[in-house]
Amino acid sequence: MAKAMWAGRFSKEESKEVNDFNSSISFDSRMYESDITGSIAHARMLGHQGIISQADSDLIIETLTQILEDINTGKLEFDMEAEDIHMFIEAELTNRIGEVGKRLHTSRSRNDQVALDIRLHLRKTVSSIVEQINSLIDTFVNMAEANKETIMPGYTHLQRAQPITFANHLLAYAFMLKRDKERFMDALKRMNYSPLGSCALAGTTYPIDREMVAKELGFDGIVRNSLDGVSDRDFCVEIASAAALCQMHLSRFSEEIILWCSWEFKFIELDDAYSTGSSIMPQKKNPDICELVRGKTGRVYGDLVTLLTMLKGTPLAYNKDMQEDKEAIFDCLDTLSMCLTIVKPMVETMRVNKTNMRNAAAKGFINATDLADYLVKKGMAFRSAYKISGSIVAFCIENNLVLETVPLEKYQEYSELFTEDVYQYINLEECTFKRTSKGASAVKSVEEQINYLRSNK
Ligand code: ARG
């Protein structure tokens, strides 16, 4: 085993078990590009400030660039015996250019280095999650546009409540996703400050220029406190929390798809490519993808709790506990990204059974509120109208009728305000499309939502 870079103080080498336990390269190697980019900016600053010679700075930058290319092309493989990605890259640099390579770590610690790397890395990952969310919003909006006139039952307590359009239902998810996206973007803003130059925790005696590094790396500024710079992982928690919410939304949607695919509902049918069969029951077509999205939600929540718990007892500043941030935040974003990837085409290819949706909406006295509203429009107080409408529903249930088939004379026994136009008023299409208030199911209300979502990306 290669001697650890910090071996100077130690008289014994660490055991294999200790090295394996301590090592993070198996999961932090994915940050190699961020690590190298950060080191290049650091080396440039060291040269610029005269902390190392310009020639050494140039050679370090050139060699790091080469190392990056060699990793990208597969010429250089990670050494799984290395302690972490930072040590691996630095050792490789020193292998290639000897003493000059050893100057890179001047006025830097792995504590501020790792804090920098993870911010750089998450900035990329979160930006791509934001893209994915955007694209899923588009999917929901397009699907809504195609279903502006598709009537379905709206539910509360999973009981048929009032008629809505499928468009309005889908748009609810588009708005949830929009908030998710905004939460991620907000977290990105707060994270975008450079911790480099905090060094181990106390800053440094070298005349470094932290702003120069921050600027080169596209940060909005520097973390203003050196202890905070190395010990802050709030951004991981914020991002994991945004991910947990987003995953929860995907999970609620998945649950609805699972219900809607069942024989009991049959509102939608998933494309064969996005469902699976049973090994024993030939009739089955299972919504496994949705179940997995729902199931993986537990794991994303777990990652959030891991991060919060990891941080709660760590005194300032850096503690090795913090190495545990990576697996949690990576797993959390990997999982969410995978789910976003698969949900989009699943939604795009699912078939909507408009007839079944409409038929379900036509049952269950879904127009009982409208019957009450009818009396209100004719001058009755809502509470009284509500009571009469309820009595008529009870009468229908006893006599196996629906509101549309109650004879006019019967209606008039309940109130003389009822006239022939009641049937028109409680007609399903009427009930759905006359809900023209903002945010409702009428075509115009839905179009307003669609336009809003399209013009506020
Ligand atoms: N692999 C470590 C981490 O992920 C890097 C920082 C190590 N710093 C230290 N003082 N041991 O947090």
Side-chain angles (χ1 to χ4, degrees), residues 233-243 304 307-309 311 329:
R233 294 294 183 276
D234 293 1
F235 52 92
C236 292
V237 175
E238 278 192 57
I239 290 168
S241 135
L304 171 61
L307 287 164
L308 284 166
T309 314
L311 287 167
I329 194 67

Side-chain angles (χ1 to χ4, degrees), residues 24 28 83-84 86 110-111 114 233 318 320 322-323 325-326:
S24 55
D28 65 19
E83 193 178 323
D84 54 31
H86 326 292
R110 265 185 304 158
N111 299 351
V114 71
R233 294 294 183 276
Y318 177 86
K320 196 66 176 254
M322 284 168 179
Q323 180 164 286
D325 61 355
K326 284 168 225 54

Side-chain angles (χ1 to χ4, degrees), residues 115-354:
L116 173 81
D117 290 6
I118 188 152
R119 283 169 196 249
L120 287 174
H121 186 77
L122 288 177
R123 200 166 67 183
K124 272 187 280 180
T125 319
V126 171
S127 303
S128 91
I129 295 263
V130 166
E131 291 294 303
Q132 281 189 289
I133 296 178
N134 253 335
S135 148
L136 188 57
I137 294 175
D138 287 345
T139 301
F140 276 108
V141 170
N142 294 341
M143 186 118 183
E145 181 146 65
N147 284 282
K148 283 192 289 197
E149 296 186 4
T150 310
I151 297 178
M152 69 179 285
Y155 296 85
T156 61
H157 314 272
L158 203 55
Q159 303 283 324
R160 287 170 189 155
Q162 290 175 342
I164 57 170
T165 55
F166 188 41
N168 212 16
H169 197 111
L170 290 167
L171 288 171
Y173 285 101
F175 282 104
M176 293 177 222
L177 288 167
K178 180 166 158 49
R179 291 196 297 277
D180 291 331
K181 180 185 90 173
E182 288 165 0
R183 268 185 283 269
F184 276 118
M185 287 165 57
D186 207 40
L188 275 181
K189 253 190 276 161
R190 237 183 323 278
M191 177 177 77
N192 204 29
Y193 293 89
S194 170
L196 206 71
S198 299
C199 305
L201 81 163
T204 179
T205 55
Y206 294 99
I208 57 172
D209 184 345
R210 293 188 58 195
E211 275 87 3
M212 176 184 170
V213 175
K215 198 157 171 235
E216 167 162 349
L217 296 174
F219 286 106
D220 294 323
I222 60 166
V223 176
R224 288 173 183 272
N225 178 285
S226 60
L227 280 82
D228 191 35
V230 291
S231 66
D232 171 31
R233 294 294 183 276
D234 293 1
F235 52 92
C236 292
V237 175
E238 278 192 57
I239 290 168
S241 135
L245 274 167
C246 185
Q247 183 72 32
M248 179 269 282
H249 293 146
L250 296 182
S251 185
R252 293 182 80 174
F253 179 68
S254 298
E255 170 63 11
E256 298 207 295
I257 299 293
I258 292 165
L259 284 172
W260 293 348
C261 284
S262 69
W263 283 91
E264 283 70 14
F265 278 81
K266 278 277 168 224
F267 284 2
I268 64 129
E269 191 182 341
L270 291 178
D271 191 77
D272 283 358
Y274 294 93
S275 31
T276 53
S278 154
S279 58
I280 172 169
M281 297 164 282
Q283 84 282 14
K284 293 289 284 287
K285 186 166 169 184
N286 296 329
D288 290 32
I289 289 180
C290 297
E291 292 165 41
L292 277 171
V293 170
R294 194 176 59 180
K296 285 178 191 294
T297 305
R299 150 178 198 160
V300 173
Y301 291 0
D303 291 327
L304 171 61
V305 174
T306 297
L307 287 164
L308 284 166
T309 314
M310 178 274 281
L311 287 167
K312 80 184 254 294
T314 48
L316 297 186
Y318 177 86
N319 302 269
K320 196 66 176 254
D321 312 45
M322 284 168 179
Q323 180 164 286
E324 292 288 311
D325 61 355
K326 284 168 225 54
E327 279 166 297
I329 194 67
F330 294 162
D331 178 71
C332 169
L333 295 178
D334 286 349
T335 308
L336 175 62
S337 169
M338 226 178 359
C339 293
L340 288 166
T341 304
I342 197 92
V343 165
K344 182 180 163 73
M346 183 191 76
V347 173
E348 281 167 349
T349 55
M350 68 190 192
R351 274 181 299 283
V352 182
N353 193 330
K354 299 185 181 183

